[in-house]
């Protein structure tokens, strides 16, 4: 395998939700001889959002870069691309998922993500939403993260426990690796 075969591209597409968009975009990637390494789809409001990590040789990546804007316009999508390189895994002691929920209070997610940043813990994935329960609007969040080897996991857990009380959220923390 040559150095040129290891090119990567992050592709995002946003537009009004309707059936067939995923098929059109994945076909374009396939026609350009790229491989989808990772992908995420979400419907936010009435908007479809799709993000993919592609790999291929330099000419395959270039074909996607030249073909996507035209396809995006045909489909009424806002698209963006950025070349990247393979993610280098850091030195982590453990991986966790955190799920929390409580009343929907402005600033909760900001305070939780600030806590992670202050602890030097990187977030791998995050999903949050709101839902009605009775007559109250609640929020919930799922975060996957890795604790670096130089961060004390027990101290992290104790500090998060304190934060959860201050924010009045219930949570479940699970080790996954």
């Amino acid at each position: 395998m040559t150095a040129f075969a290891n090119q990567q591209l992050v592709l995002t597409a946003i537009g009004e939700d309707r059936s067939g968009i995923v098929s059109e975009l994945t076909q374009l990637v396939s026609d350009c001889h790229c491989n989808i390494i990772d992908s995420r789809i979400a419907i936010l409001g009435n908007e479809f959002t799709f993000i993919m990590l592609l790999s291929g040789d330099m000419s395959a990546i270039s074909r996607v870069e030249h073909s996507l804007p035209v396809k995006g316009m045909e489909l009424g999508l806002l698209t963006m691309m950025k070349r990247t390189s393979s993610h280098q895994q850091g030195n982590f002691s453990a991986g966790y998922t955190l799920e929390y929920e409580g009343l929907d209070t402005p600033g909760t997610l900001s305070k939780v993500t600030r806590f992670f940043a202050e602890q030097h813990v990187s977030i791998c994935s995050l999903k949050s939403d709101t839902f009605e329960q009775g007559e109250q609007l609640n929020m919930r969040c799922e975060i996957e993260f890795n604790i670096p080897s130089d961060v004390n996991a027990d101290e992290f857990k104790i500090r998060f426990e304190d934060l959860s009380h201050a924010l009045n959220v219930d949570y479940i923390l699970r080790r996954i690796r």
Side-chain angles (χ1 to χ4, degrees):
M1 183 176 275
T2 69
F4 294 109
N6 217 7
Q7 303 291 308
Q8 292 188 344
L9 181 75
V10 175
L11 178 156
T12 61
I14 303 169
E16 187 175 338
D17 184 33
R18 65 187 176 287
S19 63
I21 298 173
V22 174
S23 175
E24 292 281 344
L25 292 174
T26 57
Q27 186 64 54
L28 174 114
V29 169
S30 179
D31 290 347
C32 291
H33 306 289
C34 283
N35 189 32
I36 300 170
I37 301 297
D38 197 357
S39 64
R40 305 283 187 280
I41 295 174
I43 305 300
L44 303 172
N46 193 39
E47 300 304 306
F48 162 86
T49 59
F50 193 15
I51 185 166
M52 292 185 277
L53 175 62
L54 309 178
S55 70
D57 63 28
M58 191 176 292
S59 65
I61 295 293
S62 292
R63 281 192 294 274
V64 171
E65 289 174 322
H66 287 82
S67 302
L68 182 65
V70 173
K71 180 59 79 174
M73 286 183 62
E74 287 174 14
L75 298 172
L77 300 173
L78 173 65
T79 61
M80 184 173 59
M81 296 167 282
K82 184 177 187 309
R83 287 195 185 216
T84 189
S85 57
S86 295
H87 181 71
Q88 300 301 314
Q89 191 76 305
N91 190 14
F92 300 106
S93 63
Y96 291 86
T97 59
L98 168 69
E99 298 174 22
Y100 71 85
E101 68 177 57
L103 290 176
D104 186 28
T105 306
T108 301
L109 183 59
S110 174
K111 290 172 185 168
V112 169
T113 56
R114 185 177 321 117
F115 169 81
F116 276 76
E118 290 169 351
Q119 305 303 309
H120 306 286
V121 172
S122 295
I123 295 171
C124 302
S125 68
L126 184 149
K127 178 183 177 186
S128 68
D129 63 356
T130 58
F131 62 97
E132 289 186 27
Q133 190 169 25
E135 294 187 17
Q136 296 179 326
L137 188 60
N138 290 286
M139 54 81 194
R140 64 183 154 220
C141 183
E142 299 172 18
I143 300 174
E144 184 177 318
F145 61 97
N146 292 318
I147 293 187
S149 297
D150 62 348
V151 173
N152 184 309
D154 291 331
E155 285 182 25
F156 176 88
K157 292 173 190 177
I158 290 167
R159 289 182 181 144
F160 189 81
E161 176 75 20
D162 293 341
L163 178 63
S164 73
H165 287 300
L167 296 175
N168 196 28
V169 297
D170 295 322
Y171 73 93
I172 298 170
L173 183 65
R174 291 185 193 99
R175 184 173 177 160
I176 56 173
R177 59 183 160 273

